[in-house]
């Protein structure tokens, strides 16, 4: 459990122990609650009026969303990492929800997981640029959301790599494993889409400027995050079409292979069976088969058979089977 | 038939026999009518102005919905259980409609089936927490709806189990039975979707706070139920895609199997037929076949044939058919 | 041609000959015009201001719809019966349009076909319950529409029966006839959908209560018809998915059958061809083949061949081909 | 190039040479400009304020649309004829755009093709019923549009004929030519849809009565055209489904044919190969084969082989392969 | 890096070095910034209040869009060229974003690529028709956008050529390469759609006339560009359907080829195997085979075999296999 309350006053950031005092302090307050215990949640409820149902939403597997509460805006986002599980029902994505509660001059971030993006933003606030916090809780929330959304690109890159591998392999060897790779990619894209769509809709709400908690000057930044999400949704759709295209090629490779196998069988049978018939004829036991006594009949028969083979091979070459 | 009228006054729950008295009594009234007879329905109509068409809706197979009546809100929900019927037209889902009539300070629940969820909520009102009823008829209705919707997760879990089984089996043995399993899952998902979509839309209406019968403080709870339904609709869509993916793998397994069968046939034919031709040659009855008299010709011929077989086997191994 | 004008006054129904007088008479008037001639249409135009374009719509194959005219509401509905025509372009559905013109205190029904539902409603008005007419022209129109929509369920039942038959047969015998049955069902569903969608939209307009001709107390009844239509649209969608599922199973049965055929061929060839090779070897005419003179060679050869067959049969059993 | 200006005054139609005079004349003016030269276009621009961009739209391949200009309404419609081109990129449809500019008391029709429908309407105005023009420019425009839309039915009939032919043939002979017919039909439907959708939307705008140039009494007529277009869009969708159904049957016929071919091969091989093995056995050269000396062995062997054939034929009949 | 500031005053165009002066100068100003350095961007920010986020959008791969800024309108468009890359992830389209910032009497175009269309428009402003600039910044922006959109037609033409090639080839030779061509076309169409849809939506915003920066007289021109984009989107959809149709024919060609191969095999086997059986019979070593001693038996047997072959060939011709 970590609980830190940072307050930006007069160009500097101070850390408070008491949440109520932090809230009252002049300037923007950021309370970061990672994996808080029951008592802390109780305090958050008392001081910031954070509703137990919202806390539950952060704890469970609920879709990203934005909700208006009387005194603050509740944004639920999810950091995501692909998991490449072996079976379908190990989830394809390891998603870690984080709740952002944006008040007039305070921001509470709440999560039950460990989240790199929060560390990164805190770092930049404490060391590099305390003015981030000074630009308001909505701007600090933007920083967190921006990093979360940027990370989605990495997950999409992994899916792209997988599809690239599939596209190369599928033309060489139509193995079943390729079909499984394709299905994995489709499932991951399904999971990404499930994540991206509601996030895009939420951020769109924030970018439209209906919420009093979002300053007009910050809207532009949310619009930027929104543009990234639109682009990611586009990528997901494109990858889905690519996956379907790859599956088509795979299925076709299989049909093509069966076709090839059949051709070989037909070539062998068409060349060998008639020759077998001929040798069968000369193996018959009729008493009166004058050709059997001719001295040159045997080599002639062999030559004839070679000739027939040659003609057939030539024919198969001409129609492109050999 | 069961008919109970519970009234919450001054921190306690009293049971009334007379419906009209129960309605007039101070505090929230909950009338639970399970499988009522005609006379009871008549009384409900007189006391609570419950419209015969609404009663018919509860009795028949109508989609879940919310309807505004002059003096109350009519919510039609359906408890559901998967039935795994053998044929399609035994319905996949055993759904049990329940009508919730939410007035200003009274709630009537009406059903023609036996419903565990009503027993459970009544239990909690009578024994554990009478204040549930004290929070208003809309909150009590939320409790019923919440349990109904929570149960849907169990049905979805069963479908997930079925798909998990299918995904494991389909790679081993492409039997027709697997295809039937997949089709069963698709039908069940169809049935679940038919149930979930209108329920989601109904609850969304309640969560939006347009109805005077829903208090502002209760809306959050309906929003919670709504979130569950959205998640369930998501699950259904994901499972549908998984079912389609499994069907693709199945269909492909079959093509693959045909391909394998053809390869074996081709291998056998390609190895055996030329050898048969050779032995046929030496079985011909030409008088002048000098090799027939050579003492080492027979073992040489056998060795040659073994050599040809070996070359062909080596070739088939190289191209990966053996 | 039939033309009847019924007027409900003081608890009883009187029949009028003169349309104008019928319209002016106190109480609700219902004019029923079945297959009217030009003169009657002219009179209807003069007395009730029924527009020639609306009459044309009733006569032609136009989609069901609702249209507002200055003095009345025009509802176009269609009674339907499946036709099971042999070819596609004999239409799948025999639909009989009926126009309902709803004025303030009069209703004109106009059709160019014979329609059981009109007879049935007239019967109930004349004999059983004249008050039906007393409740207003909108209520009488509801009665007609309700019966038309109820009849759709019978058509859907027929399609269900057909699909049930298909589902049973498709697992037994993948004959082409099954595919044609499936395609017939799909076409019928297409036709039903084309009928149901616009009807649903029309009735929805009436149920919403925007039309001054529909009394508030009647809206509930239209909402009931609307619910039936929604349910029918749902059924059509479900049946479509079932039909697609059945087609998948059918297509798969065919692939499966090809697979089986190939397996048999492979089994026969794999067992018989090597044996033929062996007997061919012992049929060669080399002079020096010592085994030919051994007395036990022949039975030994036969035994060996039986052994090889046995091993192959055992192998095919083990891999599940036999 | 044709340019005619018809003015309807006092129950009769006069022809004017001067466009400006025609516009100013009392009564409704119809200017018909077929394939006009630059000078005429310039005059049209000056007198009727027809925008060069609108003229360009009429000249190019732009989607049907309605546009409001300050002094008139611009309706772009397209007469269409199927072309049955041999390759895809000869366009499937020969569409001839016509621009209708509807002013307060004037109508300009502009086209760069020869259009039968304009001749037909002009004929009816000049000879049969000059009052058509008297009912206003919007009514005259309706007459033109009505004929254009009516002609679409003929094109759809041709597509229906093609599909009817396909449905009959596909069951007889699954030739590739059928697949090309189906693809042609699909492309034509695609082209028709591209034409019908925007036309429907345009006419819907006119029928809704938002445009001041459309009189209230004319709206009904536009609604009639709209209904036809809705019906045509429905037909296109139905035909598309039929085309897909036909393609399914075709693809299936092919699989069925392969299946049949395989069955025949398997029958031949299963009957002949074992018999060949038997005769091979009796063709072996072992010295001790007592049965060879039995006098009845030969006919017995032949009988036995016939018996085996009989049993196999009986078996193949029983499983339905013969 | 290029930076030019053109100002149109009194029928002529002057070039300014100082951006601030150019902005203040009487008349319309066009600042063209190609691949500007940081300092220039800073100046643009100061003088024209161009937001860094907008500059970033021009630099990155963001979807085309329109955004309102306090003092100007920001239009992001993309010039595009097909790239025909070998692998999927070399992007199919080389798109070059250009930002157009439209103020009250100034236009800034910003790009980080070299763009022919900007050169072309500048040429026409400087040499042919300075009044283009005189008609306002929105008209000049229209000129740029119009050329960009017109170029899309060239890209679509290339895709059409590719599909035309595919349609011709697919009937001749169902090679895998054709399937890859089809997939390439589908990917390019995907990329074009991704470009066209948002551009269409942006231009639609401009054509609707909500932006104060777009004069009413210019709207018509934007509507023209919009019509082109609608047509291009239509083309993309049509090409997609054609690509799918071609793929169907391809897949079918493959099945057809397998079918043909199987038929040949069956023909060979059906003709040769029975004859082999016959010669095998006469090769048996039974002592009592009277026909062996008949002098005409041998030619009779050969004739009989020829007869059987003839009958079978005739039969195969009749069923259309030969």
């Amino acid at each position: 459990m970590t609980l830190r309350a940072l307050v930006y006053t007069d160009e500097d950031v101070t850390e408070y122990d008491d949440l109520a005092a932090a809230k009252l302090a002049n300037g923007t307050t950021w309370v970061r609650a990672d994996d808080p215990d029951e008592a802390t949640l109780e305090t958050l409820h008392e001081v910031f009026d954070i509703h137990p149902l919202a806390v539950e939403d952060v704890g469970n597997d609920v879709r990203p969303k934005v909700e208006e509460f009387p005194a603050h805006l509740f944004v639920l986002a999810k950091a995501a990492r692909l998991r490449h599980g072996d079976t379908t029902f190990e989830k394809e994505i390891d998603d870690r929800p984080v709740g952002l509660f944006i008040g007039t001059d305070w921001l509470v971030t709440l999560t039950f997981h460990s989240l790199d993006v929060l560390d990164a933003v805190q770092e930049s606030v404490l060391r590099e640029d305390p003015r981030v916090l000074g630009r308001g809780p909505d701007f600090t929330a933007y920083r967190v959301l921006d990093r979360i959304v940027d990370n989605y690109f990495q997950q999409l890159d992994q899916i792209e790599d997988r599809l690239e591998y599939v596209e190369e392999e599928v033309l060489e060897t139509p193995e079943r494993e390729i079909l499984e790779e394709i299905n994995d990619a489709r499932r991951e894209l399904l999971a990404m889409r499930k994540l991206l769509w509601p996030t895009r809709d939420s951020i769109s709400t924030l970018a439209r400027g209906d919420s009093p908690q979002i300053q007009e000057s910050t809207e532009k930044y949310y619009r930027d995050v929104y543009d990234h999400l639109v682009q990611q949704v586009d990528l997901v759709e494109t990858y889905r079409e690519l996956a379907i295209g790859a599956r088509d090629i795979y299925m076709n490779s299989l049909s093509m292979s069966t076709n090839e196998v059949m051709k070989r069988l037909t070539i062998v049978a068409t060349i060998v069976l008639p020759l077998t018939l001929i040798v069968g004829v000369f193996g018959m036991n009729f008493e009166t088969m004058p050709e059997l006594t001719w001295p040159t009949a045997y080599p002639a028969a062999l030559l004839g058979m070679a000739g027939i083979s040659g003609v057939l091979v030539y024919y198969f070459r001409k129609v492109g089977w050999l």
Side-chain angles (χ1 to χ4, degrees), chain A residues 5 29 49 51 92 107 112 127 222 246 286:
Chain A
T29 308
D49 195 26
H51 200 282
E92 285 76 23
L107 168 73
F112 294 100
R127 241 143 277 178
Y222 281 100
F286 288 110

Side-chain angles (χ1 to χ4, degrees), chain A residues 1 35-46 52 55 112:
Chain A
M1 198 201 103
D35 197 16
D37 54 19
E38 280 303 309
T40 314
L41 289 174
E42 189 57 34
T43 318
L44 285 172
H45 179 48
E46 274 161 27
V55 173
F112 294 100

Side-chain angles (χ1 to χ4, degrees), chain A residues 82 152-164 166-167 181-182 184-190 192-193 196 231-247:
Chain A
L82 291 181
Y152 295 163
F153 278 113
Q154 293 174 21
Q155 318 310 317
L156 289 170
D157 278 354
Q158 287 183 34
I159 299 179
E160 182 177 313
D161 289 349
R162 195 189 267 256
L163 285 173
E164 214 165 341
V166 161
E167 291 222 331
E181 284 281 331
I182 295 172
D184 285 356
R186 287 175 76 188
R187 272 204 300 267
E188 285 172 3
L189 288 168
L190 219 58
M192 283 307 289
R193 196 171 63 159
L196 289 172
Q231 197 184 337
Q232 288 167 346
V233 166
D234 270 8
L235 278 176
V236 165
E237 292 309 308
T238 307
Y239 291 166
R240 274 169 66 98
E241 291 255 351
L242 291 179
I244 288 170
R247 206 204 49 189

Side-chain angles (χ1 to χ4, degrees), chain A residues 32-313:
Chain A
R32 185 179 163 198
D34 290 26
D35 197 16
D37 54 19
E38 280 303 309
T40 314
L41 289 174
E42 189 57 34
T43 318
L44 285 172
H45 179 48
E46 274 161 27
V47 178
F48 297 101
D49 195 26
I50 286 171
H51 200 282
L53 278 177
V55 173
E56 246 181 58
D57 283 346
V58 176
N60 296 324
D61 189 25
V62 170
R63 278 161 65 112
K65 64 177 174 178
V66 168
E67 247 177 71
E68 299 261 0
F69 280 81
H72 61 265
L73 200 67
F74 166 44
V75 182
L76 180 64
K78 285 180 173 183
R81 188 166 309 142
L82 291 181
R83 213 186 246 158
H84 308 304
D86 265 352
T87 72
T88 301
F89 296 95
E90 295 178 33
K91 282 175 61 206
E92 285 76 23
I93 281 191
D94 167 28
D95 50 6
R96 314 187 157 196
V98 56
L100 298 112
F101 302 83
I102 308 174
T104 38
D105 67 345
W106 53 269
L107 168 73
V108 174
T109 61
L110 173 67
T111 180
F112 294 100
H113 300 265
S114 71
L115 271 174
D116 298 350
V117 291
L118 290 175
D119 295 334
V121 174
Q122 181 181 306
E123 196 74 356
S124 83
V125 164
L126 282 182
R127 241 143 277 178
E128 293 152 38
D129 190 6
R131 269 168 312 173
V132 164
L133 200 46
R135 294 178 75 171
D138 53 341
F139 190 81
T140 314
Y142 149 73
R143 277 297 178 87
V144 174
L145 291 167
D146 189 39
R147 275 171 190 269
I148 287 176
V149 169
D150 261 10
N151 278 349
Y152 295 163
F153 278 113
Q154 293 174 21
Q155 318 310 317
L156 289 170
D157 278 354
Q158 287 183 34
I159 299 179
E160 182 177 313
D161 289 349
R162 195 189 267 256
L163 285 173
E164 214 165 341
Y165 166 75
V166 161
E167 291 222 331
E168 264 164 41
E169 286 301 303
V170 80
L171 292 172
E172 313 274 296
T173 43
E175 300 294 328
R176 141 118 18 107
E177 169 236 7
I178 291 294
L179 190 65
E180 285 172 44
E181 284 281 331
I182 295 172
N183 264 309
D184 285 356
R186 287 175 76 188
R187 272 204 300 267
E188 285 172 3
L189 288 168
L190 219 58
M192 283 307 289
R193 196 171 63 159
K194 218 166 96 186
L195 188 66
L196 289 172
W197 279 26
T199 307
R200 185 190 58 177
D201 294 350
S202 305
I203 301 295
S204 152
T205 314
L206 301 179
R208 261 204 313 273
D210 301 338
S211 319
Q213 280 87 359
I214 307 293
Q215 306 169 60
E216 226 186 294
S217 60
T218 324
E219 272 170 35
K220 262 180 242 328
Y221 294 95
Y222 281 100
R223 224 142 68 193
D224 201 53
V225 178
Y226 173 72
D227 283 344
H228 288 162
L229 281 161
V230 166
Q231 197 184 337
Q232 288 167 346
V233 166
D234 270 8
L235 278 176
V236 165
E237 292 309 308
T238 307
Y239 291 166
R240 274 169 66 98
E241 291 255 351
L242 291 179
I244 288 170
R247 206 204 49 189
D248 278 2
I249 294 188
Y250 171 77
M251 290 295 195
N252 168 65
S253 295
L254 202 59
S255 296
M256 210 130 198
S257 156
T258 305
N259 193 278
E260 283 304 313
V261 171
M262 294 306 310
K263 278 184 180 167
R264 289 185 197 199
L265 179 57
T266 304
I267 291 167
V268 167
T270 308
I271 293 177
V272 176
L273 285 185
L275 301 181
T276 307
L277 176 62
I278 291 169
V279 304
V281 166
F282 296 122
M284 290 194 293
N285 294 326
F286 288 110
E287 287 185 358
T288 328
M289 291 177 70
E291 67 271 38
L292 294 185
T293 58
W294 301 344
T296 54
Y298 178 48
L302 289 185
L303 271 176
M305 283 158 63
I308 290 172
S309 308
V311 166
L312 285 170
V313 167

